[in-house]
Structure formats: C-alpha cells, structure tokens
Amino acid sequence: MKIIALSILALSSYAAVAQNSNLDYKYAVKLYNLTTLADKSELYRDSNYVRTASFDKIAYPATAVQIATKKKNFHEIELSELTIARRDELTERIYLTGAEPVAGAVTTTTAIALRYEYIRMFGKKKERKLLPAIGLAAMPYYNRYRTDPAITALFPTRDNVLGIRGFIVPRLTYHISKRIYADLNVPVNLFDAQHHSTNTLNSALPAEQRTAATFNFNALPAYYSVRIGVGVKL
C-alpha cells in the first residue's frame, strides 16, 4: 500500500510539473495594434462612372477578451472595428464670375466588425515563456457608406455591405511575467463572403430599379493584417 501511495504521489507531482504555469489563468484582456492592408473595393458603377475605395489601417487599436478552456486552449472575442466617420471633399474651378464644383463628395462611413477565434496552444507541457499557437477565426462585419456628390453628374448613393471573413491565424505568445504577456499573430484571410446593396437616389428611375444587390465570395482575397498586442491575465 505504501508503494502504491508513493507511486500515486509521484505521478501527481509529475503532472503538476509537466503543466506550463504561464497558462494557469482563466480570463485575460488584450489591447492590440491592428495593421490592415486591403485591395480596392467597388462602391458604385453606372454606364459612365466607377467609384472604388480602399480602407487601410496602419495603426488601429482593437480590444479583446480571452477565455481559457479546460485543456488550456482559448476562446478570443475581439471588437475589431467601430468607426463612424465623415469626409467632405470639394474641388472647384475658379472663374472671374465665381466657382464651379468639378469633383468631390460628402461621404459618411459607418463600420463595425467582431472577431471570434478558437486558439490551439502548443508546448503546454513544458515550462517555457515563448509558446506557438494556431487559431481559426470568423469575423462578421457591416459597412455603410452614404455618399452625396458635389456635382450633378453623379447621384447620391447609399451602400450597405454585410459580410463575413474566415481566417487561419499563426501565433506567437511570450509571457513577460505572471500577469503580462505579448502576442504577435498574422491572420491569413481564407475567404470573404459579402452581400452588397446600392441604393441610387435617382428620381428618373422607377423605385424598383434604384436598388442593386450582389453577393460575392472571394477565396484568399487581398486582405493582409498583422496584430501586435499586450495581454493582462485576470
């Protein structure tokens, strides 16, 4: 009986040592700097004009909450974007008698995006500070663009984009101390599925012809991002 008891005690001690103590937490909060470069997307098209835009982020803060599972993998939920912005541009040609608008528009942008990610940790059995991981993420998003052109050749438009992006996310986490850790990850965009509707405020058209809708699915789109973050274990 003594041998059995000592064996159980030894196995328990080994199991305790084999777990990485840096992962002994249930919740954490993170602050990321998110850098994103995306290809231009089409906002408006008719027989004479095409309007495209790209929305790159060089330095953009994003907050996230991390929740550990029993196996010391993690769920992560991030507020990736929350933006309400207005841009007013005007180009005029100057004459002796006054000025004439030749280009420009007032554009109001509303954007929101959330990301859910399941993170599979590696190296959990060894006591080390630098740990690799891989994540699978889904990011639903909504964008709205209200454009009022400065010239009468273009009509005001209202664009609504509802979509979801899927990612695979290689990660490196470095535990600086018992409470603080750093996180570097490079999400790879696997797909982008979106529904895009455009309402053109052209009174010359019948009401049913003022709205056009499309559905697009792009595999491996030109959407590149890098996250560098700091987490605090709770």
Side-chain angles (χ1 to χ4, degrees), residues 155-175:
F155 295 101
T157 57
R158 308 291 182 260
D159 292 88
N160 292 278
V161 181
L162 181 64
I164 185 168
R165 294 186 175 98
F167 299 88
I168 186 169
V169 190
R171 289 174 165 271
L172 279 176
T173 301
Y174 183 78
H175 294 270

Side-chain angles (χ1 to χ4, degrees), residues 3-123:
I3 294 174
I4 293 174
L6 289 172
S7 299
I8 293 174
L9 182 60
L11 288 173
S12 300
S13 300
Y14 175 79
V17 171
Q19 298 293 330
N20 191 332
S21 63
N22 289 304
L23 299 177
D24 288 341
Y25 64 96
K26 180 63 176 177
Y27 302 102
V29 293
K30 284 184 180 179
L31 178 62
Y32 282 113
N33 176 64
L34 175 60
T35 300
T36 301
L37 302 177
D39 200 3
K40 288 185 177 181
S41 57
E42 182 180 300
L43 294 184
Y44 173 82
R45 173 188 291 269
D46 64 14
S47 58
N48 297 314
Y49 297 94
V50 177
R51 186 166 69 246
T52 60
S54 63
F55 300 92
D56 299 330
K57 303 181 186 73
I58 305 303
Y60 188 89
T63 57
V65 175
Q66 198 175 70
I67 305 170
T69 68
K70 292 181 179 180
K71 294 183 178 181
K72 295 304 177 182
N73 298 314
F74 294 93
H75 304 286
E76 187 166 291
I77 302 171
E78 176 192 84
L79 180 60
S80 301
E81 184 171 17
L82 181 60
T83 301
I84 300 175
R86 177 185 170 94
R87 185 175 63 201
D88 192 343
E89 298 179 86
L90 180 63
T91 301
E92 295 179 303
R93 179 174 293 155
I94 304 299
Y95 300 99
L96 293 176
T97 56
E100 177 189 11
V102 295
V106 176
T107 304
T108 303
T109 303
T110 304
I112 184 170
L114 297 172
R115 176 181 60 88
Y116 165 76
E117 183 175 347
Y118 179 77
I119 303 170
R120 173 73 164 83
M121 301 297 298
F122 298 103

Side-chain angles (χ1 to χ4, degrees), residues 196-221:
H196 184 176
S197 64
T198 300
N199 180 250
T200 305
L201 305 184
N202 182 357
S203 58
L205 293 175
E208 63 274 11
Q209 295 182 18
R210 297 176 192 174
T211 301
T214 59
F215 177 81
N216 298 304
F217 182 90
N218 296 318
L220 297 175

